[in-house]
Amino acid sequence: MYQSALEALRREISGLKALANVARIVEHHRIQASPGYRAAAEWCERALAASGIKTKIHSYPYDGERTYWASRSFEEWEGLSGQLTLVEPQSQARRLADFSELKISLIQRSAPTPPGGVEAELVVLADPEDEASYANLDLKGKLVLVRGDLDRIRDLAVKKAGALGIVSDGMSEFPPVRERTDVPDARQYTSFWWPNPHEPKCFGFVLSPRQGEWLRALIKQETAASRPVIVRANVESRFYPGAIEDVEACIPGTAEGEILVVAHLCHPQASANDNASGCGAAMEAARAIADLIASGGLERPRRSIRFLLVPEMAGTYAFLASNEHLIPDIKAAINLDMVGENQEVCGSSFLVEKPPRSIASFAGDLAGLILGSIAADAGNLGGTSRYALFRHAVTPFSGGSDHWILSDPTVGIPCPMLIQWPDKFYHTSQDTIDKVDPAMLSRAALLTATYAYSLAAAGDREVAWLAGEIAAGFAAECAAAGRSLSKTGDATALGSKLAFLRDRKMADIQSAAALGDGSAPDLLQAALASANSRVAAEYGASLAHYTGLLGASVGTPPAGTSGAAAASDSLERIPERAFRGPLGRREMFAGLTPTEREEWSKNALAVLKDRGKDLWALSSLVSSALCWTDGRRNVGEISHMVAMETGWCDPDILTMVFEVLQRQGYVRWIA
């Protein structure tokens, strides 16, 4: 299906040309809805047009009032300057942060200070996310030095306690690749996300872990001597109704339908791997396909290939919501996010992340197959095998980028993601171009171009081949489930998992039929039937195998019968979504009053703690549950599907989630 295109593209694609794209993109401070982002978008559009590709910039109003589906826009922001200076004690006076030197030094979307700036005491908050810790503190007119969830801290320290602003020395950790001490001089990308343009705003600065430790020790020393530590803060910035831009490049096909390639262009300067690398690789894929078509190296495909460079999430929401008529024609997509890492420096692995199981999809299997073909850098002495000299894997859906929106079942565009993860320098000031590897950019561009072109050119014969390949992978899925669940001795759980995998795999196979062109309908139907028979046979063989191993019948229980709330009538209720596309974390509870939000947080955290889970687990649960919410499944059935996909779901928490979403109008009960 793709081998001839792969070889032609391998000869054409240049990692150095992709790296040159990255080098130009990182010159810009690319905050979503900002002049810096707009300048980067305009450069990308010019570069793509210079390759002979038809280009366009889509502009969408962003003013804090307008919504795109359930995603609320925010105001445009321009950061002009920002300095944080230690004033007292005079013996330690120094510049702590300067926006002109390092854009990440300022918390993005900071409000301006009064002209001339402010001088204020800087105090350390030991537990800034705990409301009880503020009981005896006087923070009015002061700045706070903190680590933790910025939204939560802003609510408690600034809005409620009267602090002027925030200084953060936080650093997210991703063991074993990154712990706080691994990047002592990096500053973490931090931003305010104002819920609406009318909310009072504040300012803030970002310090490195090393700076933070030194400053905390200094404050402790001076406090013991009853001397305040004084800093001067000066921020020049402005908010105003503005716009975001999507850069489009289109390689036209000969018939209807299209394949979409997406990469996000935003993030603060430099943000080289995240995500100038995705844009640089996508642009090189577009150039290579266009040049090969022009030279006759590749035939013009049946379907068009549309490339979109967007502000992450925001640009995809805006494009889809503003062009709903295009969605039925988009047969598949691929998302490039952080693809250029030098693995030896960053500690990453090259991943193909599949779409969620709630959407029937051939796309993840195809992307994984192409990755396997590319991962053949070297061979053994006898020439009997070839293998990769880089780390790579195919993984289940996790989310967190634009493929999350496209693959939502209410949108229906299957979209795998290419990503390198984890990355030691992710979302820090040290995500710079010296961490980008042209060889990895070449691999990402090659995978992208091969995937997009082969799907754009596919017809009945290619689909017949793909159906067989999708079915061939089912045995490995059954084996992985068996290895994991047979250790528990729970035959019922294993039976449920195998049945889930069978049903999803058959749906994946059938989804490939949408690529057919009517040229060989008998061949296509026979291939689909054969692939389904192969899956059914493997399912039966796996059941028999594990029944023998476990000494118990491996069967399938009724959906939704497990969990603490199994006996509750609430499991029988059927929710229906009242919005299209996924629901972001900030939108999820935006319709609650502050008191309601606080009550919800306390209740949810209490249940999560009781189950040994955290807020990340809750976020994953909600995202997956909404994908399975189709207006036909009841809460118990949704809970079952989430558990099958992610390995965990708590019906009690899920019921709480649906209730709070229903209160805000996101969900309605239809039975």
Side-chain angles (χ1 to χ4, degrees), residues 503-580:
D503 294 345
R504 301 319 302 164
K505 185 59 67 173
M506 287 183 172
D508 291 345
I509 291 167
Q510 191 59 41
S511 74
L515 298 172
D517 63 353
S519 61
D522 292 342
L523 172 66
L524 175 56
Q525 291 306 313
L528 294 174
S530 174
N532 280 320
S533 295
R534 186 172 182 178
V535 169
E538 180 59 44
Y539 170 71
S542 295
L543 281 180
H545 174 67
Y546 290 110
T547 293
L549 282 179
L550 297 176
S553 176
V554 179
T556 307
T561 58
S562 62
S568 172
D569 290 341
S570 64
L571 290 185
E572 302 299 323
R573 302 180 73 187
I574 299 175
E576 181 180 62
R577 289 169 60 168
F579 61 94
R580 194 170 191 180

Side-chain angles (χ1 to χ4, degrees), residues 77-83 99 106 110-113 234-238:
W77 175 80
E78 183 177 17
L80 300 169
S81 68
Q83 299 85 32
F99 181 74
L106 185 65
S110 276
T113 59
N234 191 0
V235 178
E236 293 182 72
S237 65
R238 65 190 188 107

